[in-house]
Amino acid sequence: MPTEPITDPHNAELERERLTSLINSMADAVIAIDEKTHIVVYNGAALNILDVNSTITGKLLTKVIKLIDKTNQPVDIKTIILDTKTQTTNRDWRLQYPDGSTVNLYTSIAPVKLGYGQEGMSGYVILLRDITREKSLEEERDEFISVVSHELRTPIAIAEGNIGNAEFILEKTGDQTKVKEALEQAHDQVNFLSGMINDLSTLSRAERGKLQVDVEDINTYELIEEIGKLYTPDAEAKGLKLFAEPDRSLELLKSSRLYVREILQNFVTNAIKYTEEGHVTISARKRDGGVVFDVTDTGIGLSKADKERVFDKFWRSEDFRTRQNNGTGLGLYVTMKLTRLIHAEIDVQSEINKGSTFSIFVPNLA
Ligand code: ADP
């Protein structure tokens, strides 16, 4: 917007008011300082981000702002500002409040001429923006990519090794049994990958709020029997017994068949994965307004502290017996998302080295 040269004092006053209302309407904090870093002008957003409610005009910038870097070391903001020759930006500093809490900042420092009748006076304009949310999303995304790529690498390497092995045996000895064995192992890994990709795609749809709930009549008896049949081979392969104990007296349940099934499948997969001997039982019982499903195992169990964290994204126990199994720490996180969609309630009872029961109360949806 072209502006008139400021000659008459009324115009100057008007211009100043315009500028003040302009910077006050900005969401970013703007602070103008003189050459000695005394605050000359600032806007309302600056008071908000600095969390002060009295005037800061005339104060030294270092008295109102404490910045720390990625390694929690104080940032010598005064020296940095005085060394700034052209506009510079930074996204790695944090603003620290007197109580020790911090916010991530986007900071821009620009050397400027501060006119306002004091011809030639120069200083700097500092712009601050709270980017805590963006930063935590960025960190989450980086962690996500690193966990997922790490978890993909192992099964792909095993499958590739086994397929290469099968080719080699075919060429050299033609031993059918050994070829079959190698291909079966490769097949297992591919199945694991496909399960993981399913989890990831459910998760991404859940996070974008794209999952819809289709309420159907669920025959709990049939559902439990079906899941029991589906997982018996996996349980038997580990020498475990799988008991499906459906209750015939249960009435039809009104909820999302797809999600209830996925939640139970996650519980059962984990129960088999984290149990070395004994059994896994799937059962259901009536409770007012719905049905409670229990998946009980005689497995490695969870410590009290671990129990609190099982539904966290990417969380996996440090227990070496957990780490012997592939996993992403996403299964129960996805389960929790689905649970909320169908207004269900989850409960975990567990004792280390004794076993766990993962329960879910599924209410009838209208
Ligand atoms: P994943 O199995 O891929 O690691 P989950 O989100 O399904 O991820 O589970 C998170 C963690 O919770 C597991 O890594 C394991 O440490 C713990 N956990 C889940 N189910 C059981 C269980 N039935 N018994 C013992 N630990 C369990």
Side-chain angles (χ1 to χ4, degrees):
M1 183 180 68
T3 51
E4 298 282 318
I6 304 166
T7 42
D8 118 30
H10 289 296
N11 248 349
E13 191 51 37
L14 186 68
E15 194 69 15
R16 193 187 168 106
E17 270 173 27
R18 271 194 202 146
L19 286 173
T20 308
S21 65
L22 181 77
I23 68 162
N24 271 328
S25 69
M26 286 176 70
D28 293 336
V30 180
I31 303 172
I33 53 172
D34 66 15
E35 283 168 308
K36 296 213 164 66
T37 75
H38 289 103
I39 297 172
V40 184
V41 188
Y42 57 90
N43 65 355
L47 293 181
N48 278 343
I49 201 163
L50 298 175
D51 198 26
V52 288
N53 50 17
S54 54
T55 174
I56 52 172
T57 311
K59 288 195 177 167
L60 276 174
L61 186 73
T62 45
K63 289 274 177 251
V64 294
I65 287 186
K66 294 264 176 295
L67 295 179
I68 51 172
D69 64 14
K70 274 186 190 165
T71 58
N72 291 333
Q73 294 307 310
V75 174
D76 182 0
I77 187 72
K78 185 171 176 183
T79 308
I80 293 175
I81 291 174
L82 297 180
D83 284 347
T84 302
K85 300 281 176 281
T86 55
Q87 193 211 356
T88 29
T89 59
N90 181 296
R91 289 172 55 84
D92 293 324
W93 295 334
R94 277 175 299 143
L95 175 65
Q96 190 169 40
Y97 295 107
D99 67 357
S101 61
T102 61
V103 293
N104 291 91
L105 282 188
Y106 162 85
T107 316
S108 151
I109 304 169
V112 287
K113 290 258 174 274
L114 295 169
Y116 290 150
Q118 300 178 40
E119 220 31 77
M121 177 186 166
S122 61
Y124 303 85
V125 169
I126 323 279
L127 189 138
L128 306 172
R129 183 182 308 149
D130 181 348
I131 54 163
T132 309
R133 204 179 126 71
E134 285 107 302
K135 271 276 172 191
S136 85
L137 287 175
E138 272 169 33
E139 276 163 19
E140 203 172 277
R141 191 197 55 204
D142 292 349
E143 188 185 359
F144 185 82
I145 293 171
S146 111
V147 171
V148 170
S149 51
H150 176 261
E151 288 302 324
L152 287 173
R153 206 174 296 138
T154 318
I156 288 174
I158 300 175
E160 206 211 349
N162 278 305
I163 294 169
N165 215 1
E167 280 174 347
F168 180 78
I169 302 166
L170 267 181
E171 260 175 38
K172 296 288 168 202
T173 64
D175 183 337
Q176 297 284 318
T177 326
K178 290 236 161 72
V179 170
K180 195 162 173 262
E181 230 170 65
L183 288 180
E184 268 170 11
Q185 280 178 21
H187 194 185
D188 281 353
Q189 296 301 319
V190 174
N191 279 343
F192 170 77
L193 285 170
S194 102
M196 186 165 129
I197 286 162
N198 275 345
D199 267 359
L200 291 174
S201 105
T202 314
L203 176 67
S204 110
R205 279 180 295 135
E207 300 216 309
R208 281 179 291 136
K210 287 265 159 74
L211 290 182
Q212 60 177 61
V213 181
D214 292 326
V215 178
E216 292 169 70
D217 283 338
I218 309 172
N219 182 329
T220 45
Y221 180 85
E222 274 176 19
L223 179 65
I224 289 188
E225 256 201 346
E226 230 176 87
I227 297 177
K229 277 204 189 112
L230 188 66
Y231 286 94
T232 297
D234 288 356
E236 282 177 350
K238 278 191 78 177
L240 305 173
K241 285 232 166 322
L242 180 67
F243 300 116
E245 295 177 345
D247 180 346
R248 271 206 184 277
S249 70
L250 287 175
E251 289 150 27
L252 293 178
L253 175 66
K254 278 192 188 310
S255 184
S256 158
R257 189 182 163 78
L258 185 70
Y259 299 157
V260 172
R261 197 189 156 102
E262 184 149 345
I263 293 167
L264 291 177
Q265 289 190 180
N266 276 342
F267 287 167
V268 175
T269 320
N270 280 345
I272 296 174
K273 209 153 80 166
Y274 303 116
T275 300
E276 288 167 335
E277 54 184 49
H279 48 83
V280 171
T281 310
I282 320 165
S283 60
R285 59 200 149 90
K286 195 165 169 46
R287 202 178 101 185
D288 258 2
V291 170
V292 179
F293 295 88
D294 296 307
V295 176
T296 301
D297 65 57
T298 55
I300 63 175
L302 290 154
S303 68
K304 257 204 174 90
D306 281 0
K307 217 172 71 175
E308 305 291 316
R309 308 207 50 201
V310 280
F311 297 104
D312 290 358
K313 199 174 188 175
F314 297 125
W315 184 85
R316 305 197 72 210
S317 164
E318 295 295 335
D319 190 312
F320 74 98
R321 294 167 298 180
T322 296
R323 300 298 167 131
Q324 281 167 346
N325 291 280
N326 282 327
T328 52
L330 283 176
L332 288 179
Y333 178 74
V334 171
T335 299
M336 185 53 101
K337 294 246 166 199
L338 298 180
T339 302
R340 292 209 185 111
L341 278 176
I342 57 169
H343 305 290
E345 291 160 25
I346 286 192
D347 183 46
V348 186
Q349 301 289 329
S350 188
E351 209 178 314
I352 198 124
N353 297 327
K354 290 252 167 71
S356 317
T357 298
F358 281 79
S359 309
I360 179 168
F361 166 64
V362 182
N364 275 308
L365 299 175

